[in-house]
Structures are given as structure tokens and as C-alpha cells.
């Protein structure tokens, strides 16, 4: 006897009408309301389908392409060299009337950049000392008008090293521009176009209202192709990508590529919520992870650049690190928040006000701090000579110090940390078995040198290394193994599960928390 063939659920769904499927559901006991909903599907008309056309049409005239010229030997573009990026083919060998040859000649940057010019292996034009040198386009990026009289916002890395700037409107009109100011710490810059016309411009949004999942539209000049629109959502907020002390990026999944730098990301009201500045990509192309400077940051910086041509920031002058949960436990703190002072700089406003290493800064002018980055941003928002109240915890006690801020050094000033000399081999060592450390008194009697670290210990996991010097534990100076045991015993009596070790090496200082329950 043959077994009857029973169609799969997939086959039923593909071959049964909506009404027929509803009848089957009713016969099998599925509630009538659910079954009837299948029999009466909601029709979606084209006018109801999501569209960004209205937003794009209103903001596109304000978005521009930016060409930056520099007196350099190598003429390359942020658009990249297409002839080298696509399969390594030689597009000069294509027929002259081939559409791809025209495309790569216009956008590729290296193919036939002027006949009779000798090309170097890297694609740049070979210098001829007998000919006058000319400004050559080196970078193409994006930007947008923020005023009808021609102020344009873009990225600092787009205009950096430039000597001449051209703004290209969405209708193809090219206008020379001048640099008003730039700020490398936030990667922002402002150009000015002098023209009698009134330009279409856009405004910054209140990005405090931006939510993860909101729609956004990015408009820019990827690969030098001109005005291009992509759409996506806000994927995350407050991203730190390690580009500077003020990182607080919006992460978006709209397609952003080389050449989009400096271009705006809009909300559906046509307001700028962010300025595209970086992408994460193992290949160099879009993978759906892009980062934009939030409007709240850009608005203040741009205003300062227009007014003064630079940004003046308050300076506290202390080296800080985040307070993680391990450090919070070692200090007896309820929450992992604020900034741990690693060391105040000599002669800095913070040191003059009495801030010390091991202090935990918890608030500025009464506003609690989320983390170390929050402190950097708060202090930078004040101008030089501003007086601020800094709340801190020292040895478990709260106190407030008033600091008169200094001015953050310019980008051209670099401070080189002093490098400490190598520690001489200590004669006597002591094993702190429970901590996984072997230590010995330092030559200058200012701490304990780590001579060995058990590779299976928690200390090894936390990055303890031979040659580092333990200066203090729980803000208590230690110069012997006896000092260490005394401090740890005190921590146990206080009910703490961890102890905070201050380490020095190569002129730098850091704090690490270790568990003491087994010590």
C-alpha cells in the first residue's frame, strides 16, 4: 500500500490562496479573528510606502562637494585609484570609446592625467624642476552650508594641509572658498564662500532627542561621484573609537564611504544630527558601521571657529583613567563612575588646587560624572580662566576643590613624558604568593619593584609586568612586603574585596585593582 504524499507547510503556503488558507486555519481550530485577518490583508499603496524623497529634495541644495588643493608632488584623491582597486586591471588598454575607460578617466585619478606627463610607479606625476609647480587636487570630501552667507562645515582631515579650497554645489557650480578655522581634536573645520547669492542652508538638530533605531539619511560625495544619498538607522550612541579625548560618536548603518567625510547625516525633519567622519571597515569600503560627530558637539565647535578661528578649551592638567567595577570595589565605591586621577601634571591647575593621585573625581559644578571621558568633555566646555568646583573622593571622604582652569595646549605643542631609567636588579626579593607577585625594594626606596609575575595569576591577567614599580596600595605608600600585608589586612577589616595598586613604569602611571580575598 502506497503512503499518501503529504505536502509540506511551505508548499501549502505557496499554493493556497489567502482565503483558502483562512478556511484551513478555521477548520484546524485557529480563532476566527486570526483566520479572518489572513482573508482580508491590508493593501499598501505606493504613497504609503516609506520614502526619503521629500527630505532629500529639501536638503540636497545645502550639501556640497569639497576639493582641496596642495602644493605636493603626489596628486591623489580621497576618491581613490579605481584602476588599482578593481582587480588590478590596466584600464588604459581599453578602447577609447569604452564607457569604463571614460568612467575611470574621470573618477579614477591616475588614468591618463594629462598626456605627455611621466607617471611615477605610485601614480603621482614626476616633478620637473624646469617647470613651474602648480596646486593639484589632493582630497575630495563633503560639507554643507549652515548659513545663507556661505559658511560651510566639513572635517578637519579633509582640509588639513590644504592651500586652496573649492566648493562644488549640487548643480555643478564651483566656487573658491577660504579656511576660517579647524579643530583637530573634534575633526571639524569651517570654510567660507564669498558670493552675492544666498545659499540654501541646514540647521543642527537637538541630538539629545536622537534614539537608537531612528531613521537617518546621509548625503555626500563618495569616491568623488558627487551628491549621493544613502539611508539607515542610528545603530548606537556614545561610541569611543579611540580618536581623541572627546569621542562621543553616533554610529549609523547608512552606507558611508571614502569621500563622505564632512558630509551631513539628517533626521527625517531635515536637520543635521551628525557629521560623518569615520568608518570601520576591514576592506576600506562600507560594511554598515560609520561614525558621525554629534550635532551638539559640532554646534559649539563651529560657533567658536566662526567667531575666533580656533577653539579654546579649559585645562585641568591631570592624567586620568576610567573607574571600572574592580577599581570601585577596591575603593569601597558603590558605583563604577567618575574618573580616577593617575597623576596631576607638575604646575597644572589641578595640582595647584590640591588634586592628588588616587583621588576619584565624581562631579564638576555639582553635575555627576559618568566616566573619565565625561570629565574631559565637561572641562573642555569651559573656557580658560574659568573657575569650577571639582568634587572628589579621597580616602573614602568627599571634598570639593575650586580650580581655575588653564588653556589646553595647541595641536602643535607636544609634551614628551620623561622616561625613567632601568631599575637595577634588586638584591632581596619577597614572594607575595597569594597575589602571584615577587617584589623587592626599589633602589630609591620609593616603592616595590615587581621581579616576577605568576603567569596563572590574576595579576598577570591584569597586565602586571616585571620591572614595574608598586608605589602605593589603596593610596598608602608601600616600600616593603610588610607594608603590603598591613594595607591588605586593613582592607579586609573594612570589608573590601579588592585593593588598588598604583604602578609606575617608563614615566607613566596606572592603577590596577587586584582581589584580596585569597591574599
Amino acid at each position: 500500500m502506497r503512503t499518501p504524499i503529504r505536502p509540506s507547510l511551505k508548499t501549502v503556503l505557496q499554493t493556497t490562496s489567502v482565503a483558502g488558507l483562512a478556511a484551513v486555519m478555521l477548520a484546524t481550530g485557529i480563532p476566527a479573528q486570526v483566520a479572518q485577518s489572513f482573508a482580508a490583508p491590508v493593501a499598501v499603496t505606493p504613497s504609503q510606502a516609506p520614502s526619503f524623497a521629500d527630505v532629500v529634495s529639501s536638503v540636497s541644495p545645502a550639501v556640497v562637494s569639497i576639493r582641496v588643493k596642495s602644493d605636493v608632488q603626489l596628486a591623489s584623491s580621497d576618491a581613490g585609484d579605481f584602476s588599482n582597486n578593481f582587480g588590478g586591471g590596466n584600464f588604459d588598454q581599453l578602447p577609447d570609446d569604452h564607457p569604463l575607460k571614460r568612467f575611470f578617466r574621470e573618477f579614477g585619478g591616475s588614468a591618463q592625467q594629462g598626456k605627455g606627463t611621466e607617471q611615477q610607479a605610485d601614480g603621482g606625476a614626476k616633478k620637473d624642476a624646469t617647470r613651474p609647480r602648480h596646486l593639484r587636487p589632493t582630497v575630495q570630501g563633503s560639507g554643507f552650508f549652515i548659513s545663507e552667507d556661505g559658511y560651510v562645515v566639513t572635517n578637519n582631515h579633509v582640509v588639513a594641509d590644504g592651500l586652496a579650497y573649492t566648493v562644488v554645489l549640487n548643480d555643478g557650480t564651483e566656487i573658491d572658498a577660504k579656511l576660517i578655522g579647524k579643530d583637530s581634536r573634534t575633526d571639524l573645520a569651517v570654510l567660507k564662500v564669498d558670493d552675492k547669492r544666498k545659499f540654501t542652508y541646514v540647521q543642527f538638530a537637538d541630538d539629545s532627542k536622537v534614539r537608537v533605531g531612528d531613521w537617518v539619511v546621509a548625503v555626500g560625495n563618495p569616491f568623488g561621484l558627487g551628491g549621493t544619498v544613502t539611508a539607515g538607522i542610528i545603530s548606537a550612541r556614545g561610541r569611543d573609537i579611540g580618536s581623541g579625548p572627546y569621542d562621543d560618536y553616533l554610529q549609523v548603518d547608512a552606507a558611508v564611504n571614502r569621500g563622505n567625510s564632512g558630509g551631513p547625516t539628517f533626521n527625517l525633519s531635515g536637520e543635521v544630527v551628525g557629521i560623518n567622519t569615520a568608518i570601520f571597515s576591514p576592506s576600506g569600503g562600507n560594511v554598515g558601521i560609520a561614525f558621525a560627530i554629534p550635532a551638539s558637539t559640532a554646534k559649539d565647535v563651529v560657533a567658536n571657529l566662526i567667531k575666533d578661528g580656533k577653539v579654546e578649551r579649559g585645562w585641568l592638567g591631570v592624567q586620568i583613567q576610567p573607574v571600572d567595577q574592580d577599581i570601585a570595589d577596591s575603593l569601597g565605591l558603590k558605583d563604577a563612575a567618575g574618573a580616577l586621577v593617575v597623576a596631576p601634571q607638575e604646575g597644572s591647575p589641578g595640582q595647584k588646587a590640591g588634586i592628588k593621585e588616587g583621588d576619584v573625581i565624581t562631579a564638576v559644578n555639582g553635575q555627576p560624572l559618568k566616566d573619565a571621558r565625561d570629565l574631559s568633555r565637561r572641562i573642555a566646555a569651559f573656557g580658560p580662566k574659568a573657575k569650577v568646583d571639582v568634587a572628589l573622593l579621597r580616602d573614602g571622604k568627599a571634598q570639593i576643590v575650586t580650580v581655575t582652569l588653564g588653556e589646553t595646549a595647541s595641536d602643535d605643542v607636544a609634551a614628551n613624558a620623561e622616561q625613567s631609567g632601568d631599575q637595577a636588579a634588586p638584591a632581596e626579593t619577597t614572594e607575595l604568593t597569594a597575589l602571584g607577585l615577587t617584589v623587592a625594594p626599589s633602589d630609591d626606596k620609593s616603592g616595590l619593584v615587581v621581579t616576577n609575575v605568576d603567569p596563572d595569576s590574576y595579576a598577570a591577567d591584569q597586565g602586571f609586568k616585571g620591572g614595574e614599580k608598586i608605589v602605593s596600595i589603596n593610596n598608602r605608600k608601600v616600600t616593603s612586603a610588610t607594608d603590603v600585608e598591613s594595607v591588605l589586612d586593613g582592607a579586609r577589616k573594612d570589608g573590601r574585596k579588592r585593593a588598588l595598586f598604583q604602578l609606575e613604569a617608563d614615566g607613566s602611571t596606572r592603577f590596577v585593582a587586584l582581589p584580596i580575598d585569597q591574599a
Side-chain angles (χ1 to χ4, degrees), residues 164-180:
Y165 313 92
T166 301
V167 169
V168 184
L169 307 185
N170 72 327
D171 63 1
T173 303
E174 299 185 6
I175 311 175
D176 290 338
K178 62 181 179 181
L179 179 64
I180 299 300

Side-chain angles (χ1 to χ4, degrees), residues 65-399:
S65 300
I66 295 176
R67 296 176 184 168
V68 181
K69 298 180 181 181
S70 178
D71 188 7
V72 295
Q73 180 175 343
L74 176 63
S76 63
S77 170
D78 194 38
D81 186 347
F82 280 85
S83 62
N84 289 333
N85 288 343
F86 284 84
N90 186 350
F91 290 97
D92 288 335
Q93 296 177 1
L94 292 172
D96 289 337
D97 59 349
H98 197 287
L100 281 179
K101 186 165 186 177
R102 177 186 175 189
F103 177 82
F104 284 103
R105 181 171 61 247
E106 292 182 358
F107 299 113
S110 66
Q112 305 232 353
Q113 291 184 4
K115 295 191 177 181
T117 302
E118 183 179 355
Q119 297 292 317
Q120 294 181 335
D122 60 9
K126 184 176 181 180
K127 266 174 62 176
D128 186 341
T130 64
R131 298 179 182 178
R133 300 180 68 185
H134 300 285
L135 295 176
R136 292 181 176 273
T138 59
V139 174
Q140 294 189 35
S142 306
F144 56 97
F145 286 109
I146 58 164
S147 66
E148 65 178 12
D149 57 347
Y151 282 102
V152 177
V153 175
T154 186
N155 281 149
N156 171 71
H157 76 260
V158 171
V159 302
D161 303 322
L163 297 177
Y165 313 92
T166 301
V167 169
V168 184
L169 307 185
N170 72 327
D171 63 1
T173 303
E174 299 185 6
I175 311 175
D176 290 338
K178 62 181 179 181
L179 179 64
I180 299 300
K182 57 184 181 179
D183 179 51
S184 65
R185 287 182 171 87
T186 55
D187 196 22
L188 290 168
V190 175
L191 300 173
K192 178 68 166 64
V193 172
D194 290 324
D195 196 274
K196 294 182 180 180
R197 77 184 77 185
K198 292 184 178 180
F199 296 98
T200 300
Y201 65 96
V202 291
Q203 296 179 330
F204 288 112
D206 178 2
D207 62 37
S208 66
K209 298 179 180 179
V210 172
R211 300 178 301 168
V212 173
D214 281 350
W215 281 108
V216 290
V217 177
V219 185
N221 176 35
F223 301 115
L225 294 172
T228 300
V229 180
T230 58
I233 63 170
I234 299 291
S235 303
R237 298 190 51 147
R239 287 299 197 206
D240 180 359
I241 62 174
S243 65
Y246 312 120
D247 282 13
D248 188 29
Y249 293 109
L250 299 174
Q251 180 182 325
V252 301
D253 73 347
V256 173
N257 291 285
R258 294 170 60 189
N260 276 107
S261 292
T265 292
F266 295 100
N267 60 20
L268 297 191
S269 297
E271 300 169 319
V272 179
V273 296
I275 301 172
N276 302 317
T277 189
I279 62 174
F280 174 81
S281 173
S283 63
N286 169 64
V287 295
I289 302 177
F291 302 98
I293 304 165
S296 55
T297 298
K299 188 174 183 180
D300 293 337
V301 171
V302 167
N304 282 318
L305 291 177
I306 292 175
K307 180 182 177 182
D308 302 317
K310 62 179 181 178
V311 179
E312 294 183 339
R313 295 183 173 90
W315 177 56
L316 186 59
V318 295
Q319 181 185 346
I320 56 176
Q321 73 178 62
V323 178
D324 58 23
Q325 193 58 55
D326 287 349
I327 291 177
D329 291 342
S330 70
L331 295 174
L333 303 179
K334 181 180 179 181
D335 300 313
L340 176 62
V341 177
V342 175
Q345 297 182 28
E346 188 68 29
S348 68
Q351 186 192 52
K352 292 178 180 177
I355 296 177
K356 299 180 180 180
E357 60 187 27
D359 288 346
V360 177
I361 298 176
T362 58
V364 174
N365 280 356
Q367 298 297 315
L369 298 176
K370 297 178 181 178
D371 49 33
R373 284 189 301 149
D374 195 14
L375 174 62
S376 298
R377 290 193 295 266
R378 296 277 187 90
I379 293 298
F382 294 99
K385 299 182 180 180
K387 290 187 177 182
V388 296
D389 291 331
V390 177
L392 52 85
L393 289 173
R394 179 182 299 162
D395 297 331
K397 297 180 180 179
Q399 54 183 288

